Amino acid sequence: MFGLPSRYDENFLYWLDRKAPKCQLVAVCTIHVDDLVLAASKGWLETTYKAFVRKFEKVKRQTLPFNNIGMEYSRTDHGGIILRQVEYASNLKLLQLGDREEDSETPTASASLAKAGSASKSLTPAEITMLRGGIGSVPFLCLTRWDLLYDLVVLQTQAKDASRLQLKECNRIIYAAKRHTHRGLIFEPLTYGKSRCLRRRLSAVANSRHASATHSYAFEGHLVFLQPDCDAKPQQTKDFGEALPANNVPGLSSRVHPLHVNSQKAKRPSQSTCHAETLSQLSCTAVAECVAMRYTEMVLAWSKDGVDIRGTSLHKGTPTLERLMEADLQGGYSVPVDSWTDCLDLLELTTGLKGVPQYRHQRLAILALREKRVAGRIRLSHWMQTDWMIANALTKHDPNCITMWDLLTKGRWDIGGNVRIRKTINVADHEESDLRNMKLEE
């Protein structure tokens, strides 16, 4: 079939049009055991299907809409693709708690448990097994239901010393999953204005909830989106004290393709909210850079820049590992990476408006983020108001997060309020002194 295997994932193949004036993707394919999911034009798919039939004689073919490994693929009204798990969510079973009031699907049941003094009652071995079964039935659904992630992750951390209150919380999560089955991951055509946009950008959105009176570890939320590139320009140095209305930046709010999500308890305690936000953004931007390299790999393969030419190599025609490492080190991504945070202190620390922190662990993390910016691996750094931070739903229980609702029902990320945009001058051969004394673009 002459597909090129990815260096990053041996189960991912892609086809390129070598004759096109610009890098043009013809088809992509992902493999799971003996199942293949392909995306391409109808003509290419028909030709490929006939080739499979000639080779294997009996081949089952499914076209949109179809189900694959519990995932439902269907078309949107605008010609995009939506991934849902309606049937799986509908088949989830509420835990049978043995009491009619406790089995009710109303939020008042949890309060009645607390009033009755049974909320802290330890679970029997049978109830522990039932709780683990209920928790284990939901993670697969979180592939498309990102609004359930935080509550589920928190419940998982409480399973070891669970009480009847955790049983009720598990039922609440399952009920929410069964109630909003229409939510899912939406991939609409990316447009800028009314026309199709061929320029792309990756947005790394990181947020963190600091430790509280009951928790010593922060909670992190990460999102990586593919968006149409916009005309956002960094603010001049003299305007750094002011914020811009988000509505005045063309293309800042747009359709997005959700590529990555993560909701987790931090690996270590943080001394402040800024420290927690720093560690969260460091992890999120690292993932965004890996995603950017997946796109860069295909562009390098099309341009034949540093590709493997060995006739016996399984990766013939794909970029060598050395070439990929060089592109990553220099920040030569075909799709630029922008970072987002709602912590103003973090923005000022990473862009050089404030000095380097004295606390060693935070200082090293800040210098690492500055190094990404100086090397060009992060193009623009954005600050936004907390009210519009979409990753809030991944760090706290927020069933009314409008931005997460829009993502899972419309495939959009709308940004309001005020924003700040910063960019740092790239330095080819930078040293530690360049990181400590960063220069901002005028």
Side-chain angles (χ1 to χ4, degrees), residues 65 269 325 396 401 423:
M325 293 172 62
K396 58 180 69 72
C401 183
K423 185 176 182 179

Short mmCIF file of all heavy atoms in Angstrom, two decimals, residues 65 269 325 396 401 423:
data_model
loop_
_atom_site.label_atom_id
_atom_site.label_comp_id
_atom_site.label_asym_id
_atom_site.label_seq_id
_atom_site.Cartn_x
_atom_site.Cartn_y
_atom_site.Cartn_z
N PRO A 65 -22.21 6.24 9.28
CA PRO A 65 -21.79 6.08 10.68
C PRO A 65 -21.53 4.61 11.01
O PRO A 65 -22.18 3.72 10.48
CB PRO A 65 -23.02 6.59 11.44
CG PRO A 65 -24.17 6.27 10.54
CD PRO A 65 -23.66 6.42 9.14
N PRO A 269 4.03 17.96 46.24
CA PRO A 269 3.41 19.18 46.78
C PRO A 269 4.07 20.42 46.19
O PRO A 269 5.23 20.41 45.79
CB PRO A 269 3.67 19.07 48.29
CG PRO A 269 4.00 17.64 48.54
CD PRO A 269 4.66 17.15 47.29
N MET A 325 15.11 14.59 16.05
CA MET A 325 15.66 15.19 17.27
C MET A 325 16.18 16.58 16.99
O MET A 325 16.02 17.50 17.82
CB MET A 325 16.77 14.29 17.82
CG MET A 325 16.29 12.96 18.35
SD MET A 325 17.63 11.84 18.78
CE MET A 325 18.43 12.77 20.08
N LYS A 396 -11.36 20.89 39.16
CA LYS A 396 -12.35 21.02 40.23
C LYS A 396 -13.71 20.58 39.71
O LYS A 396 -13.92 20.50 38.49
CB LYS A 396 -12.41 22.47 40.73
CG LYS A 396 -12.74 23.48 39.65
CD LYS A 396 -12.79 24.89 40.20
CE LYS A 396 -11.42 25.37 40.61
NZ LYS A 396 -10.54 25.64 39.45
N CYS A 401 -19.41 24.40 33.71
CA CYS A 401 -18.33 25.00 32.92
C CYS A 401 -18.79 25.16 31.47
O CYS A 401 -18.83 24.17 30.71
CB CYS A 401 -17.07 24.14 33.01
SG CYS A 401 -15.64 24.83 32.15
N LYS A 423 5.62 37.39 23.51
CA LYS A 423 6.55 36.63 22.68
C LYS A 423 7.97 37.01 23.04
O LYS A 423 8.25 38.18 23.36
CB LYS A 423 6.30 36.88 21.19
CG LYS A 423 7.17 36.02 20.29
CD LYS A 423 6.86 36.21 18.81
CE LYS A 423 7.72 35.28 17.96
NZ LYS A 423 7.43 35.44 16.51
#
